[in-house]
Amino acid sequence: MSSTAVVTVDDRQKKRVALASAVGTSVEWYDYHVYSIASALVIGRIFFPAVSPLAGTMAAFATFAVGFIARPLGGILAGHLADRIGRKKVMVATLTLMGAATTLIGLLPTYAQIGATAPVLLVALRLLQGLSAGGEWGSAALMAVEHAPRDQRGRFGNFVQLGTPAGMFLANVVLLGATFMLSDEQFTSWGWRIPFLLSAVMVVIGFIIRARVDESPVFQALERNSTLERIPLAELLRTQKLKVILAVLSFIGNNAVGYIFLAFMTAYGTSALKLDRNLMLNVMLVGCVTWFGSMVYFARLSDRVGRHRVFFLGYGLLAVWAFPFFALFNTGNPGLILLAVVVLTFGLAATYGPQAALFAELFPARVRASGVSLAYAVGACLGGGFSPLIATALFGATGTVYAVAVFMVAFSIVSFVAIAAMRRIPNSFATTDAS
């Protein structure tokens, strides 16, 4: 498709695609966050029981990181396919793969039942989750953004981003319900499986919704004009290498801070501060709500004032708030802990809500899926995959959680600088790309 091709999409289809992106991605991230939270609560005890509690938690977070290691490969494969056969087909396939892997984790025998084979199988299923998550985002993001009006790409792309707090909210609700209704012994014995098995039902719902949407009009135009790239990744790395690097660096700050919030803080609160597990889950629930709501605001704001300004605001807040965040958390006061989490979610929202539009506008249409998928997957791997493990190690080595705050500040600054460099790059969408 030439850069001046006109794409027209009716309002009903735009809304249908936005819903499919939001619902499908919510299911994907429900699956991923169930494992994230379970890593802090129970995975270490039932799959790595022969080590100390701290070592068990680190081992659980290591299996969490394994899923992120597979993300770049998932991003490469899915991006290539989305540029070759279409965004929609890949979006449906990744949802199915994630649901299957998560359901199988719920059926997995524990260490007590089959010994060392259990963690090996767990790692294998985490790899499948990682492949799916690495490929899911790019196709869903482009389906939303490439259907959007030119002045609402931030708003429509945000529907994909909303899946993260929505999925996390669902995961927390299900886990909170399980821990409320079951004793600790019951939850550790079999109750932890329930959230994983529920994924099967949610995947069916997401599959039905996604199957009803039309293919991206941008991809349809590429296909119609016979301008599809034969090897999109090779063309991407030959002509867009700097953009990929900047996109990766622009994302690592959000992921590093985000997964410290999502995974490390649950373990830190319950183990180090001896806070009630249900209190931690409830705090996370409120954080999901404020994250969700503020993402809507910041995504729409980016349509008015520009993506880069919103990202500057968000990364500035994440860097400034890192030390007060832990200071308030360490008081053990529920109200102050809630304040710490709510303010942090504002920074996460500003650096995540407009991201789909930011990445889509960075790469030309013929290699766009490969570009956004690779950048997102590598950024998630480098920024988020190891952050809970690193945070746990830093806390264990120094005895102070403020070492983790330094880590958060450093990654936020790196992403701030990357966003500043991206300001010089023109928008890859022509003004007539969408109506």
Side-chain angles (χ1 to χ4, degrees), residues 356-374:
L358 178 78
F359 276 20
E361 291 169 348
L362 192 62
F363 298 100
R366 291 189 297 176
V367 296
R368 187 172 288 149
S370 295
V372 301
S373 297
L374 180 62

Side-chain angles (χ1 to χ4, degrees), residues 35 43 46-49 63 104-105 107-126 192-193:
Y35 190 91
I43 293 295
I46 61 177
F47 285 96
F48 306 96
T63 62
L104 288 173
I105 289 176
L107 297 172
L108 198 62
T110 65
Y111 187 94
Q113 295 169 311
I114 60 172
T117 305
V120 172
L121 292 175
L122 179 65
V123 168
L125 292 174
R126 283 292 296 150
W192 65 273
R193 298 180 183 276

Side-chain angles (χ1 to χ4, degrees), residues 256-302:
V257 176
Y259 277 98
I260 286 173
F261 165 57
L262 299 179
F264 171 75
M265 292 311 298
T266 301
Y268 174 70
T270 55
S271 299
L273 300 182
K274 306 301 180 185
L275 297 174
D276 182 71
R277 182 171 59 190
N278 287 345
L279 169 63
M280 291 301 303
L281 290 174
N282 278 308
V283 166
M284 292 295 179
L285 281 177
V286 176
C288 289
V289 173
T290 58
W291 190 4
F292 188 99
S294 54
M295 273 212 300
V296 173
Y297 170 76
F298 285 119
R300 295 191 178 195
L301 181 65
S302 77

